[in-house]
């Protein structure tokens, strides 16, 4: 009797592709604009507005300069940044556990994959929620206008693809 090879089916290839894409998009998200601040001048003064974006690394640098100067760190930065990187790490772990579970005949890996994938989804949701919370602390109304900070494309890429990757990991684990 010959050894039976475990075949990789199309579904597994699609799941792996989605998981790999979630890692790439998390890295891209961390490297591009994380927040966008729009300053708008009152209509009476012309109503002009200007939007400035900051990458997560630029926010980290500004936070570091504040701390080095003896000021308090930016409120909410630490948690926001931590969950961004935790989501990236969990996306990588979800992908690795999925690949290992396809070749190893260890039943417990299915449950490990479900747990890690679910944590990826939760972490992505917390990452975008903490980004909204961080942005909310840096909004202001002035007599001559206002400033509003919101999550930019990077935060959304990380959150959306963290959720999609986590869901793909669960789907990959539940397929018989």
């Amino acid at each position: 009797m010959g050894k039976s090879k475990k075949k990789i089916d199309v579904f597994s290839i699609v799941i792996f592709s989605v998981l790999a894409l979630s890692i790439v998009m998390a890295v891209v998200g961390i490297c591009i604009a994380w927040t966008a601040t729009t300053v708008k001048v009152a209509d009476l003064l012309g109503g002009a507005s200007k939007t400035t974006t900051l990458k997560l690394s630029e926010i980290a640098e500004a936070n570091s300069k504040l701390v080095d100067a003896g000021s308090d760190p930016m409120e909410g930065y630490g948690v926001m940044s931590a969950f961004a990187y935790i989501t990236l790490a969990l996306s990588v772990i979800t992908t690795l556990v999925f690949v290992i579970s396809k070749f190893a005949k260890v039943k417990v890996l299915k449950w490990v994959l479900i747990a890690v994938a679910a944590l990826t989804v939760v972490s992505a949701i917390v990452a975008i929620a903490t980004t909204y919370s961080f942005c909310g602390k840096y909004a202001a109304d002035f007599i001559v206008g206002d400033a509003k900070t919101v999550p930019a494309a990077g935060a959304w890429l990380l959150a959306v693809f963290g959720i999609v990757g986590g869901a793909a990991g669960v789907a990959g684990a539940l397929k018989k």
Side-chain angles (χ1 to χ4, degrees):
M1 208 174 230
K3 289 183 180 179
S4 66
K5 287 186 174 180
K6 192 166 188 178
K7 280 182 124 180
I8 302 295
D9 58 351
V10 174
F11 182 78
S12 295
I13 293 170
V14 169
I15 294 296
F16 175 75
S17 299
V18 170
L19 290 169
L21 182 63
S22 74
I23 294 170
V24 170
M25 290 296 115
V27 170
V28 169
I30 287 172
C31 293
I32 65 172
W34 191 262
T35 62
T37 302
T38 302
V39 177
K40 185 175 183 209
V41 177
D43 291 334
L44 292 171
L45 299 173
S49 67
K50 179 174 175 154
T51 300
T52 305
T53 61
L54 290 173
K55 298 176 188 174
L56 197 55
S57 61
E58 293 168 331
I59 299 169
E61 186 177 322
N63 188 57
S64 179
K65 286 180 181 179
L66 281 173
V67 172
D68 289 347
S71 296
D72 291 335
M74 292 179 190
E75 189 177 339
Y77 166 74
V79 175
M80 173 187 71
S81 177
F83 275 99
Y85 289 107
I86 289 169
T87 302
L88 172 59
L90 287 170
S91 294
V92 170
I93 294 167
T94 299
T95 304
L96 291 174
V97 173
F98 175 76
V99 169
I100 292 167
S101 73
K102 287 295 153 192
F103 296 106
K105 297 183 186 224
V106 181
K107 297 250 183 209
V108 75
L109 283 179
K110 171 183 174 179
W111 299 107
V112 170
L113 179 56
I114 290 170
V116 173
L119 286 173
T120 304
V121 171
V122 170
S123 181
I125 292 168
V126 172
I128 197 68
T130 56
T131 301
Y132 263 109
S133 176
F134 175 81
C135 290
K137 292 174 177 56
Y138 298 97
D141 285 325
F142 306 104
I143 295 172
V144 294
D146 64 1
K148 183 178 181 184
T149 303
V150 295
W156 284 109
L157 280 175
L158 178 109
V160 168
F161 281 93
I163 292 167
V164 168
V170 170
L174 295 177
K175 175 153 186 321
K176 293 183 181 189

